Amino acid sequence: MTSPSLEVSGAAQAASPAKPAEHARLDAVDVLRGLVMILMAIDHVRDFVGPPVDFRLDVTKTSAALFFTRWITHFCAPVFVLLAGTSAYLQAARGKSRGELSRFLLTRGAWLVLLEITVIRLGWTFDPGYHITPLQVIWAIGWSMIALAGLVHLPVRVVAAIGVVMIAGHNLFDGVSFTGGSALDVVGSILHASRPFEPAPGHYVFVAYPLVPWIGVMAAGYGLGALLEAAPGERRARLYKLGAALTLAFVIVRGANVYGDPSPWTSQGSALSTALSFLNCRKYPPSLSYLLMTLGPALLALGALEGREFPGKKVLLVFGRAPLFYYILHLYLIHASAAVVHYAIHGPKVFDWHDPMGLPAEAQHGLPFVYGYTLAVVAALYPLCRWFAELKRRRRDLVFLSYL
């Protein structure tokens, strides 16, 4: 599942962004990242103490409240990955050479992949035996950074074009399949399909976040960084125009019901149910419709946040500037506290190592409990994230902090 400022010459867009300059951090990027991190916590709390949802939602069996509780969290992964690419561009615009940026992306990407299969996997499963290994958003960000480490040597517009082609074209391969369990099937699952495979008896790997579309999102995010070079007013206008264009493209592509999502929408018994079917786009792997549906409004929100002051902004900035730290802590806090809750209800037989979450499926609470629980988790993490964000700001000499 995740982790997680300039005025420069426009010449960087056509050539290299790696030019020394003085830049103020773009608050809107961190605010949006902080916002979706809180939304992410809602979904993860629901995973452990709330009503379950199917891997692919069935709108005929899902209430509107549960649907939208899940749907609002769809924005998290696309925003994480997009802004990771944007942040890479901004690092270059603040003075990193292409070589320095490439090395950083390569090493940080490898570090994130390692964290996903060790620390983060354990946080999800509480399973030291590796019976199940979900490969989620941090895995996708890590490999996307490794890919971007090579792409940054190309002109920014070329990187952005590659990203757009990967996003728009990857659904052409939806019908491709290989013999189950074969090497090609494993590679296909990692690159494009969300399917489990069994590397050893009783041990399953599930690639929830296949790499091809997510690499495309990060490459597009890198290109987005070049659009943020304008003065604040122009920057806001660019974000509004691009966000509106992507949102309109979603309506057109999804409405045509021909290409862009392997799950067509259908007319239901009511207007609300039909709307839910229309919005019920495939996340695993992320379809073109899913990415248009989430990235379009996200860019509109980024434009709306640009240069704005509002209550709660400082809180969002704190979370947005300590994304990986928050991600790891929130996962362990939610899972451990849920274990305590379930222990109190069910007694000592709480942990089932063969359950992906390690908790009994029957221990479910309603959505009000989920939202209240999320507020408690976010409030508990705020002081720690504020301390860590301040530490990163003060101790720029500690290079390892840039990897957290």
Side-chain angles (χ1 to χ4, degrees):
M1 305 223 110
T2 165
S3 136
S5 70
L6 70 167
E7 301 289 344
V8 298
S9 166
Q13 180 175 350
S16 166
K19 299 175 123 181
E22 292 297 326
H23 307 292
R25 192 177 181 110
L26 271 177
D27 281 355
V29 170
D30 292 325
V31 169
L32 181 59
R33 184 159 40 215
L35 175 60
V36 297
M37 287 167 65
I38 293 175
L39 294 179
M40 174 187 66
I42 297 172
D43 198 43
H44 295 168
V45 166
R46 183 200 52 74
D47 280 331
F48 288 109
V49 301
V53 296
D54 293 334
F55 182 60
R56 297 192 174 100
L57 280 174
D58 183 345
V59 297
T60 66
K61 300 177 181 178
T62 306
S63 69
L66 181 55
F67 178 93
F68 282 111
T69 295
R70 173 64 172 159
W71 186 81
I72 59 173
T73 67
H74 280 346
F75 290 85
C76 301
V79 170
F80 288 155
V81 180
L82 183 80
L83 295 186
T86 302
S87 296
Y89 181 93
L90 298 183
Q91 287 184 54
R94 287 193 292 265
K96 275 188 178 178
S97 69
R98 287 183 176 183
E100 290 170 334
L101 179 60
S102 181
R103 286 190 294 274
F104 173 76
L105 290 170
L106 182 63
T107 53
R108 190 165 195 259
W111 168 240
L112 292 180
V113 171
L114 178 63
L115 282 179
E116 178 71 70
I117 61 178
T118 55
V119 175
I120 293 171
R121 190 211 67 85
L122 184 62
W124 271 112
T125 65
F126 279 10
D127 170 18
Y130 277 81
H131 294 93
I132 185 165
T133 300
L135 301 176
Q136 303 191 80
V137 67
I138 303 301
W139 153 274
I141 292 175
W143 281 110
S144 296
M145 283 185 172
I146 292 171
L148 188 59
L151 292 175
V152 296
H153 295 282
L154 300 172
V156 179
R157 289 177 178 174
V158 174
V159 177
I162 291 171
V164 170
V165 168
M166 293 177 78
I167 291 170
H170 79 93
N171 283 120
L172 292 171
F173 299 93
D174 287 343
V176 176
S177 61
F178 303 99
T179 303
S182 67
L184 284 176
D185 186 58
V186 171
V187 172
S189 179
I190 291 173
L191 293 180
H192 187 257
S194 290
R195 289 191 299 268
F197 56 90
E198 191 176 10
H203 298 268
Y204 293 89
V205 175
F206 177 60
V207 186
Y209 284 70
L211 300 182
V212 169
W214 292 114
I215 291 172
V217 174
M218 185 170 289
Y222 184 78
L224 175 66
L227 298 182
L228 303 183
E229 293 180 329
E234 176 62 23
R235 185 161 60 225
R236 188 181 302 117
R238 289 177 177 182
L239 289 168
Y240 281 150
K241 289 177 183 177
L242 183 56
L246 293 182
T247 304
L248 178 60
F250 161 68
V251 174
I252 294 172
V253 171
R254 186 63 168 157
N257 228 13
V258 174
Y259 175 78
D261 197 288
S263 300
W265 64 276
T266 57
S267 295
Q268 303 291 315
S270 67
L272 175 60
S273 295
T274 300
L276 298 187
S277 179
F278 190 86
L279 295 173
N280 190 26
C281 299
R282 185 75 62 88
K283 179 180 180 180
Y284 306 106
S287 68
L288 169 61
S289 292
Y290 170 89
L291 291 173
L292 292 173
M293 176 183 72
T294 51
L295 293 178
L299 292 176
L300 291 172
L302 193 60
L305 292 169
E306 169 61 37
R308 310 288 187 189
E309 296 296 328
F310 55 90
K313 178 177 179 178
K314 291 183 179 178
V315 173
L316 297 178
L317 281 171
V318 164
F319 291 129
R321 291 174 177 172
L324 183 58
F325 185 77
Y326 170 96
Y327 185 92
I328 294 173
L329 286 187
H330 100 288
L331 194 56
Y332 276 86
L333 176 58
I334 292 171
H335 198 163
S337 60
V340 173
V341 170
H342 294 316
Y343 185 92
I345 296 173
H346 298 282
K349 192 178 180 182
V350 175
F351 299 106
D352 174 5
W353 301 126
H354 297 277
D355 186 293
M357 300 305 172
L359 297 168
E362 66 271 17
Q364 300 167 16
H365 299 267
L367 292 179
F369 184 85
V370 168
Y371 282 94
Y373 204 124
T374 301
L375 286 176
V377 167
V378 171
L381 291 178
Y382 178 74
L384 288 170
C385 290
R386 182 176 59 184
W387 163 80
F388 186 74
E390 178 62 18
L391 178 66
K392 288 180 71 175
R393 186 190 68 80
R394 287 188 294 105
R395 298 302 307 272
R396 298 187 186 278
D397 57 309
L398 299 178
V399 178
F400 73 90
L401 291 178
S402 64
Y403 287 80
L404 297 175

